Amino acid sequence: MIGSIIGDIVGSIYEFDNIKTKDFPFFQGRQEYTDDSILTLATADWLMNGGRSGDYYLRYALENPHPMGSYGTGFVQWVHLAQRGIRRPYNSCGNGSAMRVGPVGWACASEEEVLQKAKESAECTHNHPEGIKGAQATALCIYWARKGFEKEAIRQAISARFGYALGMTVDEIRPRYSWDGLDRAGNGGTCQGSVPQAIVCALDAVGFEDAVRNAVSIGGDSDTIACIAGSIAEPLYGIPPAVRSQALRYLPEKFAGLVEHFEGKFGRL
């Protein structure tokens, strides 16, 4: 699951200051983990300890109220209502469901369990069909990569199951992509407008760091796209120990400890 967090940290300074190049320092002093990492850690905590996913998202948001970049508007409103005992998903198809789902792909023992847990992780807030689909597609990519599926097999299976168009290369996506989606014909903050691109960034890479660089370089919601791409790239390529160690230094001790605990239970590459 550390791959999600690394992507988030690396992309954190480019979310509202997009760059269209892979040539940038991978780790920089002004980077931070964002809400993407916080809610990914909440997912991991839920999977290890059980209960309802929404309880964990609420608790982590309340305990960490001001992350870099802040939480999404819809999620903030959900938190306010949930504090008053009103737990109501808000029909979101935002890519928040996909950026926090990474641990599901590591913790589950079958495709059926992956799909169910990804749905559970999403639907407490993101109950729009596209929000659930984005979480399920991301988690299945991770699960299949852990099981040794070839990249082209993953590409074809995800396209067939979820209808995502994954035929473009990163170099083809980059000049045509922005916060307004591909060719300004969508919304780069939605699952349907960013998860396919994140998957391509992971599958078209030559290694973990290259996948994250791909994700940052296409622009748009850089930290979240890199978080999703990083989550998939981790089981595909593994993470160099030096990169993992450096990323953990960005986290407070309690978060780094949770990563270690999760990996001790479910494994890492």
Side-chain angles (χ1 to χ4, degrees):
M1 63 171 283
I2 189 65
S4 305
I5 294 169
I6 295 171
D8 176 42
I9 292 169
V10 173
S12 63
I13 59 175
Y14 300 113
E15 179 180 10
F16 302 113
D17 188 18
N18 286 174
I19 56 174
K20 291 286 187 173
T21 177
K22 294 168 66 171
D23 184 16
F24 57 86
F26 199 65
F27 285 119
Q28 304 175 52
R30 59 197 180 100
Q31 294 163 325
E32 297 180 30
Y33 65 89
T34 78
D35 61 308
D36 296 22
S37 292
I38 292 168
L39 297 180
T40 295
L41 289 159
T43 301
D45 199 346
W46 163 59
L47 291 168
M48 288 190 291
N49 294 297
R52 299 185 302 176
S53 61
D55 292 343
Y56 289 83
Y57 299 137
L58 175 60
R59 175 163 62 85
Y60 272 67
L62 293 176
E63 291 176 354
N64 305 275
H66 303 295
M68 181 179 188
S70 75
Y71 296 97
T73 302
F75 183 76
V76 169
Q77 292 173 344
W78 177 85
V79 168
H80 289 329
L81 287 173
Q83 285 182 276
R84 294 159 47 194
I86 304 171
R87 298 290 186 92
R88 194 159 48 216
Y90 46 98
N91 197 37
S92 175
C93 59
N95 55 17
S97 62
M99 60 78 168
R100 70 192 188 203
V101 80
V104 168
W106 288 91
C108 295
S110 68
E111 290 184 16
E112 292 74 20
E113 187 182 10
V114 168
L115 292 171
Q116 179 57 37
K117 288 297 185 183
K119 183 173 184 287
E120 289 178 33
S121 76
E123 66 184 357
C124 59
T125 54
H126 294 58
N127 59 327
H128 188 285
E130 290 291 344
I132 294 170
K133 184 167 83 170
Q136 290 179 323
T138 301
L140 265 183
C141 283
I142 296 165
Y143 175 79
W144 285 334
R146 284 180 52 228
K147 295 299 180 181
F149 281 43
E150 296 293 330
K151 292 194 288 185
E152 196 53 40
I154 294 174
R155 190 192 307 268
Q156 292 177 10
I158 290 294
S159 294
R161 185 185 288 261
F162 297 102
Y164 285 159
L166 304 177
M168 293 178 66
T169 67
V170 173
D171 286 342
E172 290 169 335
I173 292 170
R174 188 178 297 112
R176 298 171 55 184
Y177 189 76
S178 71
W179 266 99
D180 295 317
L182 193 66
D183 296 329
R184 297 186 172 275
N187 182 340
T190 63
C191 279
Q192 60 268 39
S194 61
V195 172
Q197 289 76 22
I199 293 172
V200 170
C201 287
L203 297 180
D204 281 9
V206 297
F208 176 81
E209 183 174 327
D210 190 50
V212 174
R213 290 183 181 279
N214 280 343
V216 171
S217 77
I218 67 171
D221 192 0
S222 296
D223 62 327
T224 299
I225 295 173
C227 179
I228 297 167
S231 72
I232 299 167
E234 178 181 1
L236 282 174
Y237 309 109
I239 297 176
V243 172
R244 181 180 182 279
S245 296
Q246 182 121 3
L248 288 174
R249 294 190 195 110
Y250 284 84
L251 301 179
E253 185 176 346
K254 65 178 180 178
F255 286 167
L258 195 154
V259 170
E260 298 278 4
H261 187 194
F262 183 87
E263 291 178 342
K265 185 169 185 176
F266 297 113
R268 68 180 175 94
L269 293 178

